[in-house]
Amino acid sequence: SRSAENKMTRAVAAFKKSIKLSFTKEILLLSVTTAYTGLELTFFSGVYGTCIGAVNRFGTEEKSLIGLSGIFIGVGEILGGGIFGLLSKNNRFGRNPVVMLGIVVHFIAFYLIFFNMPNDAPIAPMEGTNDVAYMIPSKEVAIFCSFLLGLGDSCFNTQLLSILGFLYSEDSAPAFAIFKFVQSICAAVAYFYSNYFLLQWQLLIMVIVGFFGTITFFAVEWEAAAALVARGLDYSSI
């Protein structure tokens, strides 16, 4: 029973530390970026595949394209994770260029999806939709957007995990708990409104949150770099 009490005491202490940490400036700023990863996680893992499967103009292959879309999302995730997670340990430019690349890649994907997918695709009935957006729906563009969504997501996640591990290297568990909590809450919110909002509004929400999330990430990164330089350390070690 004494061992159980010790475990409970440590759990309560960790929970209190997470609550206290969640109100610090760095975590509040990074929470905007984390919220964006939750929104776009829901979009590429659930909403976008539904949109592809609802477009009747893709013909008899519309359902099989859902699986192919998931494969290319995975290819983008693996490629981005390998390049930015493993090969950029000594990147003297820091994390900001990778995050900038991620938001640019996602904005390109959102732009192409907006032109390629009908607005009612996320809320279309079981029979699908015959509507057309600003171009005839293209299977190649749809799959290419899947790759871009996965690539952009890997840019954000690798750099968020990196900066959390750097800022809270001594006690990283509460910081990562807050990260997963915010991401999961925003993913749940996105799943809720995805059943009611047209595609254009869902894309607009992600564009706005992604824009501000990128700015807040830059602010935390610049502050971390300035503190590192003030201690006389090399920025490439960030």
Side-chain angles (χ1 to χ4, degrees), residues 25-235:
K25 183 178 70 172
E26 291 81 6
I27 289 295
L28 288 174
L29 290 173
L30 289 177
S31 292
V32 183
T33 316
T34 304
Y36 172 68
T37 64
L39 298 180
E40 53 97 6
L41 171 66
T42 291
F43 184 78
F44 75 73
S45 63
V47 178
Y48 188 57
T50 302
C51 293
I52 293 177
V55 180
N56 292 334
R57 288 180 177 267
F58 284 150
T60 57
E61 300 178 354
E62 60 182 11
K63 304 304 180 185
S64 61
L65 285 176
I66 300 176
L68 193 60
S69 171
I71 292 173
F72 274 85
I73 289 174
V75 170
E77 294 276 9
I78 294 170
L79 181 62
I83 294 176
F84 306 121
L86 301 177
L87 303 181
S88 61
K89 292 183 178 180
N90 296 318
N91 181 14
R92 62 189 182 92
F93 299 107
R95 306 177 185 88
N96 284 349
V98 180
V99 173
M100 176 60 74
L101 175 63
I103 198 64
V104 169
V105 166
H106 270 178
F107 280 1
I108 293 173
F110 297 157
Y111 180 81
L112 293 175
I113 291 170
F114 177 72
F115 269 79
N116 192 46
M117 293 288 176
N119 270 331
D120 63 339
I123 57 175
M126 291 294 295
E127 296 77 17
T129 177
N130 294 310
D131 291 350
V132 177
Y134 295 93
M135 59 180 284
I136 301 299
S138 169
K139 303 173 186 176
E140 292 77 14
V141 173
I143 298 303
F144 179 63
C145 289
S146 299
F147 171 77
L148 293 181
L149 290 173
L151 180 62
D153 179 70
S154 68
C155 293
F156 276 94
N157 278 293
T158 55
Q159 303 314 302
L160 267 173
L161 295 176
S162 173
I163 197 170
L164 286 174
F166 173 77
L167 293 174
Y168 305 99
S169 57
E170 299 298 327
D171 193 10
S172 59
F176 283 97
I178 296 170
F179 166 75
K180 294 304 297 182
F181 175 76
V182 174
Q183 188 182 60
S184 300
I185 288 295
C186 292
V189 171
Y191 267 114
F192 174 76
Y193 71 63
S194 65
N195 293 320
Y196 303 98
F197 287 1
L198 294 175
L199 180 61
Q200 59 183 358
W201 303 121
Q202 297 189 39
L203 294 174
L204 179 62
I205 291 172
M206 288 190 293
V207 166
I208 294 173
V209 179
F211 174 77
F212 286 106
T214 303
I215 292 177
T216 56
F217 185 94
F218 285 0
V220 176
E221 174 77 351
W222 287 330
E223 186 173 331
L228 201 66
V229 172
R231 296 201 300 265
L233 300 177
D234 186 11
Y235 182 63

